[in-house]
């Protein structure tokens, strides 16, 4: 069976491609929604977002916005990574770490088909030590 540099068969890549497509389809509207939630009452206006009544309970709205921002940042990041991962499929580099060029590994891709890094590089990236 033909394999790629990532060690994945074309069938496996196709499986991840479908998962990425589904993930992107789900995240896109969610990220838009969270973005509108996250900056409802603050000084940073969001295009297309409606100004809420200012008479809502301030602390709880602040909390909601904070939570929405955390989720928005996370999901936006995953969405961007998923879109990039999808582009690596036709390029033939899906499943290959964008930093070191080693295979990402099937187990890791099963959990995070959108990840650009192998486990070692992901640790370094998180610690801000990726050069
Ligand atoms: Zn790596």
């Amino acid at each position: 069976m033909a394999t790629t540099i990532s060690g994945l068969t074309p069938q496996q890549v196709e499986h991840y491609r479908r998962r990425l497509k589904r993930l992107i389809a789900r995240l896109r509207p969610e990220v838009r929604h969270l973005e509108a939630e996250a900056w409802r009452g603050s000084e940073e206006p969001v295009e297309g977002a409606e100004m809420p009544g200012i008479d809502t309970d301030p602390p709880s709205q602040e909390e909601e916005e904070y939570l929405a921002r955390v989720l928005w940042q996370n999901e936006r990041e995953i969405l961007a990574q998923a879109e990039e991962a999808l582009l690596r499929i036709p390029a033939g580099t899906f499943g290959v770490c964008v930093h070191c060029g080693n295979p990402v590994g099937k187990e890791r891709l099963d959990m995070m088909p959108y990840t650009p890094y192998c486990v070692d590089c992901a640790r370094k990236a998180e610690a801000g030590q990726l050069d």
Side-chain angles (χ1 to χ4, degrees):
M1 192 178 281
T3 54
T4 55
I5 184 171
S6 60
L8 302 168
T9 66
Q11 287 83 358
Q12 284 168 332
V13 172
E14 175 60 17
H15 163 78
Y16 293 124
R17 193 184 67 81
R18 286 203 204 111
R19 278 188 62 187
L20 284 168
K21 283 250 179 198
R22 276 200 298 269
L23 188 67
I24 290 168
R26 220 187 110 175
L27 282 177
R28 265 192 191 141
E30 228 170 276
V31 167
R32 268 201 303 272
H33 173 76
L34 283 168
E35 191 171 287
E37 288 278 301
W39 281 278
R40 270 201 296 187
S42 78
E43 64 287 349
E44 290 185 67
V46 175
E47 267 183 39
E50 278 195 4
M51 277 302 284
I54 311 162
D55 54 346
T56 39
D57 188 41
S60 83
Q61 186 182 321
E62 236 169 65
E63 264 172 37
E64 268 175 42
E65 287 187 7
Y66 169 74
L67 278 174
R69 281 176 209 192
V70 171
L71 289 172
W72 174 71
Q73 272 175 350
N74 285 343
E75 299 203 357
R76 189 183 59 157
E77 176 75 18
I78 292 174
L79 177 61
Q81 288 187 342
E83 284 170 342
E84 281 169 24
L86 210 54
L87 293 177
R88 288 198 293 275
I89 292 177
T93 55
F94 176 79
V96 180
C97 176
V98 298
H99 185 70
C100 70
N102 285 331
V104 170
K106 202 175 165 303
E107 264 177 45
R108 187 166 160 76
L109 287 172
D110 281 341
M111 279 191 298
M112 297 180 283
Y114 49 82
T115 187
Y117 299 126
C118 69
V119 67
D120 287 339
C121 291
R123 275 200 204 110
K124 284 183 202 157
E126 254 173 55
Q129 293 167 348
L130 212 58
D131 39 55

